[in-house]
Amino acid sequence: MYILENEAKCTGCEACKNICPKSCIAMEEKKGGFLYPIINEKECINCKLCKKTCPVNRPKGHKNIPNEIYAAYSKDFESRSNSSSGGIFGELAKYIIEKNGFVFGTTLNDDFSAQVISAQNEKKLQELFKSKYVQSHVDLAYQKVESLLQENRVVLFSGTPCQIAGLKSYLGKPYTNLMTIDVVCFGVPSPRIFQKYIHSLEIQQKSKVSNFNFRSKVKGWTGKKFSVEIKFKNNNHFCEFATDNLYHKVFFNGCNVRQSCFDCNFKNGNHESDLTLADYWGVEKYTPEMDDGKGTSLVIINSDKGKKMFQNIDCKVLYQRISSDNAFLDNLAATESKKENKQRKLFLNEMDNCKDEDVIRKLEKYSEVKFLQRVKLGLKHCLGVKGEL
């Protein structure tokens, strides 16, 4: 039995694995290192719950027009420093922790695999801060969310739009004690390729990586000038602009992105979250009074529950309401799916087969952006091409 007629549409949200009453669905790596569901046909009872629960199989609902959009950042310096942009997720999450609730989000494990976990105290919550540019493994997190909700615990679940859709589809009914946050996402990179990149760096430095920060502000933030900062156990470390980093380059140019992300079902008003967070790129041009170079977030209210969530922390943040005309001019990820790179299949094939010591050379080969591509991107940026949210 197939869950999706077109496997390429699978987002890897793992709702099927969580809903299976016989636990006969496993997530296995396929081409490029992306996870896809595999059904144990011997154990399957053909209940078809996996097909019914898959959010890609469900008809799209009505487009949800954002109620309000804000430029915002936390007043707390530490909270903001520990974030990728304005520290809004941190303030919302701490509010839930204070109410004895649970917060779900993505952490990087000791082996640098990305996984959805829960936090019930501020120390554990620190693991969920900052963006991770690699697809996270949900595993059975939806089942844990459901169990907590049924115990009347307050739960905040944060993730990509497809993960939120997977959770909502798995639960099958609304819960007043569930709050959801998604992020403006421009696709998810391969866990396998991230692992290969880590190992290649360790070979170069002759030391294990101790910390990987995808979104450091050490060299600034305004104008998309965030950096990649990597520390090693031998006390070496390096930091470079994300636009110069090979791993980020093959993500930005569409080589290292999951196939379903090129035609995302959860953009242009199809968010199922209560609140969407994003970087407010272009704040220095459109709302300069909200830019001090330390990171500013876009807060997009999608529901009455989302509005109440934001009101609960409004004393802890500086914010200003803005129009959608300005909000997304420099953030095309909010409205458009990433474009597939014509060399993507070649890239994934070569990365699947190359040795760790050859990874850097392969990344260099596929990280180049051709001159005409740069011109097209520049024109699109200057013209402010945008769509609906």
Side-chain angles (χ1 to χ4, degrees), residues 6 31 80 95 99 124 138 146 163 169 174 187 196 207 212 216 226-228 233 246 263 310 341 348 358 362 366 385:
N6 181 4
K31 188 174 181 178
R80 200 171 169 204
Y95 177 82
K99 298 298 180 184
K124 191 69 174 176
V138 173
E146 182 180 41
Q163 288 174 338
S169 191
K196 281 179 170 283
S207 176
F212 196 107
S216 171
F226 61 90
S227 304
V228 177
K233 290 186 177 179
L246 293 174
D263 185 22
F310 190 55
N341 191 306
L348 294 179
D358 296 327
K362 293 295 183 185
Y366 286 96
V385 178

Side-chain angles (χ1 to χ4, degrees), residues 84-144:
S84 294
S85 51
I88 303 303
F89 169 73
E91 296 296 353
L92 290 164
K94 284 187 285 186
Y95 177 82
I96 298 298
I97 296 294
E98 289 167 3
K99 298 298 180 184
N100 200 30
F102 286 76
V103 178
F104 285 75
T106 295
T107 188
L108 280 183
N109 295 317
D110 290 341
D111 63 356
F112 295 99
S113 60
Q115 184 174 358
V116 175
I117 63 165
S118 64
Q120 200 187 6
N121 57 64
E122 287 204 28
K123 182 178 180 180
K124 191 69 174 176
L125 189 61
Q126 298 294 318
E127 295 183 31
L128 310 187
F129 292 171
K130 294 186 179 292
S131 301
K132 285 87 175 177
Y133 282 66
V134 60
Q135 184 163 29
S136 58
H137 184 26
V138 173
D139 198 22
L140 299 177
Y142 299 157
Q143 292 184 10
K144 184 174 181 180

Side-chain angles (χ1 to χ4, degrees), residues 353-369:
N353 297 313
C354 81
K355 297 178 181 178
D356 288 342
E357 54 265 32
D358 296 327
V359 166
I360 296 299
R361 184 171 56 84
K362 293 295 183 185
L363 291 176
E364 288 173 341
K365 175 182 175 180
Y366 286 96
S367 65
E368 295 179 0
V369 178

Side-chain angles (χ1 to χ4, degrees), residues 2-169:
Y2 293 100
I3 298 173
L4 279 167
E5 290 185 15
N6 181 4
E7 187 181 63
K9 295 290 291 180
C10 173
T11 66
C13 74
E14 304 189 53
C16 56
K17 175 180 177 176
N18 279 262
I19 201 68
C20 180
K22 300 295 289 183
S23 301
C24 65
I25 297 178
M27 301 299 292
E28 294 187 5
E29 282 190 7
K30 290 196 175 182
K31 188 174 181 178
F34 294 101
L35 294 175
Y36 289 86
I38 302 295
I39 299 174
N40 182 338
E41 299 289 352
K42 292 181 180 179
E43 299 291 331
C44 178
I45 58 175
N46 204 34
C47 65
K48 297 183 180 179
L49 279 174
C50 53
K51 291 175 72 78
K52 294 173 184 175
T53 303
C54 175
V56 177
N57 279 332
R58 290 189 289 114
K60 293 181 182 178
H62 293 294
K63 282 186 182 279
N64 113 52
I65 300 172
N67 296 342
E68 299 166 5
I69 303 175
Y70 295 92
Y73 58 78
S74 172
K75 294 177 183 177
D76 182 75
F77 177 78
E78 183 177 357
S79 180
R80 200 171 169 204
S81 297
N82 289 334
S83 75
S84 294
S85 51
I88 303 303
F89 169 73
E91 296 296 353
L92 290 164
K94 284 187 285 186
Y95 177 82
I96 298 298
I97 296 294
E98 289 167 3
K99 298 298 180 184
N100 200 30
F102 286 76
V103 178
F104 285 75
T106 295
T107 188
L108 280 183
N109 295 317
D110 290 341
D111 63 356
F112 295 99
S113 60
Q115 184 174 358
V116 175
I117 63 165
S118 64
Q120 200 187 6
N121 57 64
E122 287 204 28
K123 182 178 180 180
K124 191 69 174 176
L125 189 61
Q126 298 294 318
E127 295 183 31
L128 310 187
F129 292 171
K130 294 186 179 292
S131 301
K132 285 87 175 177
Y133 282 66
V134 60
Q135 184 163 29
S136 58
H137 184 26
V138 173
D139 198 22
L140 299 177
Y142 299 157
Q143 292 184 10
K144 184 174 181 180
V145 170
E146 182 180 41
S147 178
L148 290 168
L149 293 172
Q150 291 174 347
E151 294 171 8
N152 293 318
R153 305 301 295 269
V154 176
V155 174
L156 172 61
F157 190 97
S158 64
T160 59
C162 55
Q163 288 174 338
I164 301 299
L167 171 65
K168 293 286 188 73
S169 191

Side-chain angles (χ1 to χ4, degrees), residues 198-388:
I198 290 284
H199 295 156
S200 70
L201 293 175
E202 292 175 340
I203 290 170
Q204 277 190 341
Q205 295 292 323
K206 298 180 180 178
S207 176
K208 292 288 186 181
V209 172
S210 60
N211 183 269
F212 196 107
N213 186 350
F214 296 92
R215 291 285 304 273
S216 171
K217 298 177 184 176
V218 69
K219 292 188 176 185
W221 182 89
T222 302
K224 301 186 181 181
K225 291 182 179 177
F226 61 90
S227 304
V228 177
E229 191 171 13
I230 306 168
K231 296 179 181 179
F232 297 85
K233 290 186 177 179
N234 63 2
N235 293 323
N236 286 350
H237 105 288
F238 78 82
C239 181
E240 61 186 352
F241 287 121
T243 49
D244 296 326
N245 178 261
L246 293 174
Y247 179 77
H248 274 61
K249 279 184 173 183
V250 293
F251 166 64
F252 294 150
N253 73 14
C255 276
N256 184 21
V257 178
R258 191 182 182 97
Q259 184 68 47
S260 60
C261 299
F262 301 120
D263 185 22
C264 179
N265 277 34
F266 309 103
K267 287 188 182 291
N268 289 331
N270 292 311
H271 291 256
E272 298 190 29
S273 63
D274 297 303
L275 192 148
T276 298
L277 296 178
D279 302 288
Y280 186 8
W281 299 129
V283 61
E284 71 278 9
K285 294 181 285 186
Y286 312 122
T287 319
E289 62 274 20
M290 289 296 295
D291 176 43
D292 63 359
K294 296 172 183 166
T296 306
S297 297
L298 281 177
V299 180
I300 304 156
I301 310 295
N302 297 323
S303 69
D304 290 339
K305 191 185 288 187
K307 184 173 183 177
K308 186 174 181 181
M309 287 168 60
F310 190 55
Q311 289 173 339
N312 286 333
I313 64 161
D314 64 1
C315 62
K316 296 184 177 181
V317 301
L318 292 174
Y319 62 96
Q320 180 177 322
R321 189 167 181 175
I322 60 174
S323 72
S324 58
D325 289 340
N326 288 341
F328 311 118
L329 281 174
D330 284 14
N331 199 333
L332 296 178
T335 58
E336 296 183 7
S337 296
K338 183 177 280 294
K339 300 297 185 290
E340 183 174 2
N341 191 306
K342 292 179 180 178
Q343 293 185 303
R344 176 179 176 272
K345 290 181 180 179
L346 288 173
F347 169 75
L348 294 179
N349 280 335
E350 292 195 25
M351 289 298 290
D352 278 348
N353 297 313
C354 81
K355 297 178 181 178
D356 288 342
E357 54 265 32
D358 296 327
V359 166
I360 296 299
R361 184 171 56 84
K362 293 295 183 185
L363 291 176
E364 288 173 341
K365 175 182 175 180
Y366 286 96
S367 65
E368 295 179 0
V369 178
K370 303 301 182 186
F371 176 73
L372 286 177
Q373 288 177 295
R374 291 200 300 269
V375 171
K376 287 179 181 178
L377 288 170
L379 284 173
K380 200 170 193 180
H381 173 84
C382 292
L383 293 172
V385 178
K386 60 183 184 297
E388 298 177 65

